[in-house]
Amino acid sequence: MRNRSAPFLAACRREPVPHTPVWFMRQAGRALPEYRAIRGTGSILEAIADPERATEITLQPVRRYGVDAAILFSDIVVPVWATGFGVEIVAGRGPVVEDPIRTPADLGRLRPLDPEGDTGFVLETIRRVAGELAGDVALIGFAGAPFTVASYLVEGGPSRDFARVKTLMHSDPATWHGLVDRLAQMAIDSLVAQVAAGVDAVQLFDSWAGSLSPADYERFALPATTRVLDAVRSLGVPTILFGVGTGELLGLMSSAGPDVMGIDWRVPLDVARDRVGPGRAVQGNLDPAACLAPFEVVAEETRAVLARAGSAPGHVFNLGHGVLPETDPGILGAVVDLVHAEGRAGVAR
Ligand code: CP3
C-alpha cells in the first residue's frame, strides 16, 4: 500500500497536497519510443498477458515523465477476452468482436470472471509494479464501465453512432440489462482482485457514455455503473469515473458516487466543479490535441487549465482523453514540470 499522503491519493480525497499531481491517460503507449521498442509485433493482448513486459511498459512513463501515478498496462476488454469471449484488438482500430451480442441467447456466451484463474497475469503485473514504485507514486487499476464494454460487444467494434447498442437497449431492455449486469459483475470481480493485488486507486472508463442522452444514460448505463462503484467503495481506495463528451451527464455521473470525476476538454474545470458538486475532486482536462502544438502554446493551455482548477483542494491534472500517438514525449515531460511548479489546488504557497 502506498503512502496515504501520496499527492495523487491526497488530491483524490480533496486533501492538501505539496504539488498538483499529474498523470496522463494512455501515458503508456505509442508516443514512447521505449514502448514501441518492447511492445512486439503481436496483438497488444499478448503484451498485456506477459507480466514482465507489462510491468516494464507500466513503469516507462513514470521514469520518463515523473508523473504522480502509474496506470496498469492492460485494456478494458481483457476480462471478456480472458474468459474466452472472442475479441481481438486491431491496431489503429480498437476492439473487434467476432460474433457480437444481439439476442438473449448470446448472453450465455459471457461467463463469470475468475480473476486469478483467467487474469492471473494482470494480478502478477500489479504485484510487480507495486513492488517497484516509490511510496509517493500511486498505481491506478481500472475497468471498463458496463455501457462502454457493452458497446464493443454489441456493435462488434468501434462505432460512430452506436446504433446497434441503442437499438438493443430500446427494443429489448431485458437483454440489455442482463448484459450490463453481467459486465458490472465482471468489473467488480476484476477490481476487487486488482485492489487485493496492490492497486491504490481505480478508474472506471465509461469512454463512450457521452453518446447517450441524459434520460438514456440514467436508465441504461447509470444503474450498472453505480453498482460497480458501490462495490468498490468498501475497499477503501479512491474511485475515478471518466467519459468523453459527458458535459450534460456530469451531474448524473456524479450521482454514481465516484471520489473523482474525469472531465474531458470541452467543459472548463470551474464549470465542471459546479456540475459535479462540492463532494468530489475533478481530473483533467488539457486537450490531447493541444499537446501537438509548440511548447509555448501547450504551456499557455496548461496554465489555463490550472487557472480554471482554482485553489480549492481536489484537482488531479490530466489530459481530457488519451495521449495521441504522435505526441512529443518531451512536451509531456515539460507539462508535468509546469503543473508541479504552478498548480494551486490545495497547495499551500
Ligand atoms: O497508459 C494507459 O492508459 C494504460 C493502458 C490502457 C490501454 N487501454 C492500453 C492500450 C488503458 C487504460 C486502456 C483503456 C481502454 N481501452 C479504453 C478506455 C480509455 C479510452 O481511451 O477511452 C478503451 C476505449 C479501450 C479500447 C481500445 N484499446 C482502443 C479504442 C484502442 C486503440 C486502438 C488503436 O490502435 O488506436 C485499444 C488498443 C490499445 N490499448 C493501445 C494501448 C496502448 C494501442 C494499441 C497498441 O499499442 O497496439
Side-chain angles (χ1 to χ4, degrees):
M1 192 65 192
R2 237 47 23 211
N3 213 334
R4 259 184 70 84
S5 61
F8 167 79
L9 298 175
C12 289
R13 295 191 303 260
R14 288 170 292 115
E15 290 169 3
V17 285
H19 60 252
T20 295
V22 45
W23 68 282
F24 302 115
M25 291 184 278
R26 289 287 174 87
Q27 63 190 14
R30 285 169 297 182
L32 288 179
E34 59 269 37
Y35 170 80
R36 295 195 297 269
I38 68 159
R39 149 86 169 74
T41 49
S43 160
I44 191 184
L45 293 166
E46 281 169 38
I48 289 170
D50 172 2
E52 190 174 339
R53 242 188 310 169
T55 298
E56 174 60 20
I57 292 172
T58 302
L59 293 170
Q60 283 174 345
V62 176
R63 295 189 199 113
R64 163 79 79 150
Y65 300 130
V67 283
D68 296 273
I71 182 160
L72 172 69
F73 184 70
S74 183
D75 196 89
I76 60 169
V77 296
V78 162
V80 278
W81 169 69
T83 55
F85 191 88
V87 54
E88 250 313 319
I89 297 182
V90 178
R93 230 185 127 209
V96 173
V97 167
E98 221 169 279
D99 193 359
I101 291 184
R102 301 283 161 77
T103 67
D106 290 330
L107 294 183
R109 292 191 282 123
L110 272 179
R111 72 160 168 83
L113 178 72
D114 165 9
E116 192 62 64
D118 297 324
T119 54
F121 50 87
V122 167
L123 306 178
E124 176 61 18
T125 300
I126 292 169
R127 289 188 279 265
R128 291 188 188 202
V129 173
E132 298 252 346
L133 285 175
D136 55 354
V137 179
L139 174 58
I140 303 170
F142 68 91
F147 170 77
T148 288
V149 177
S151 77
Y152 287 109
L153 301 191
V154 176
E155 294 289 337
S159 175
R160 248 171 207 290
D161 52 20
F162 298 90
R164 291 190 178 92
V165 190
K166 292 180 182 181
T167 301
L168 180 67
M169 58 177 57
H170 285 119
S171 61
D172 187 355
T175 298
W176 173 258
H177 287 294
L179 173 59
V180 287
D181 279 350
R182 279 172 174 77
L183 295 175
Q185 192 58 50
M186 268 196 178
I188 291 167
D189 293 338
S190 175
L191 292 172
V192 167
Q194 290 181 44
V195 172
V199 304
D200 305 299
V202 302
Q203 177 153 324
L204 203 52
F205 282 99
D206 209 351
S207 302
W208 314 135
S211 64
L212 295 174
S213 68
D216 283 355
Y217 178 81
E218 188 168 17
R219 181 164 166 219
F220 296 114
L222 180 62
T225 290
T226 304
R227 216 186 115 203
V228 177
L229 290 174
D230 282 348
V232 175
R233 189 166 309 110
S234 61
L235 306 176
V237 301
T239 57
I240 309 166
L241 177 59
F242 168 78
V244 182
T246 56
E248 295 303 323
L249 302 178
L250 289 175
L252 283 169
M253 290 175 81
S254 292
S255 74
D259 297 298
V260 184
M261 186 61 80
I263 312 294
D264 83 0
W265 63 92
R266 295 172 179 89
V267 185
L269 287 185
D270 52 333
V271 177
R273 282 209 198 243
D274 285 344
R275 292 186 188 173
V276 307
R280 278 168 233 301
V282 289
Q283 174 176 281
N285 70 347
L286 180 62
D287 186 343
C291 296
L292 305 179
F295 185 68
E296 311 85 79
V297 180
V298 181
E300 201 176 305
E301 296 286 321
T302 300
R303 290 189 173 108
V305 170
L306 293 175
R308 295 282 194 165
S311 57
H315 176 220
V316 175
F317 191 96
N318 204 316
L319 305 182
H321 198 184
V323 172
L324 296 171
E326 56 270 46
T327 309
D328 171 359
I331 296 263
L332 294 182
V335 168
V336 170
D337 294 341
L338 182 61
V339 170
H340 283 170
E342 298 187 17
R344 289 188 303 114
V347 181
R349 67 155 89 94

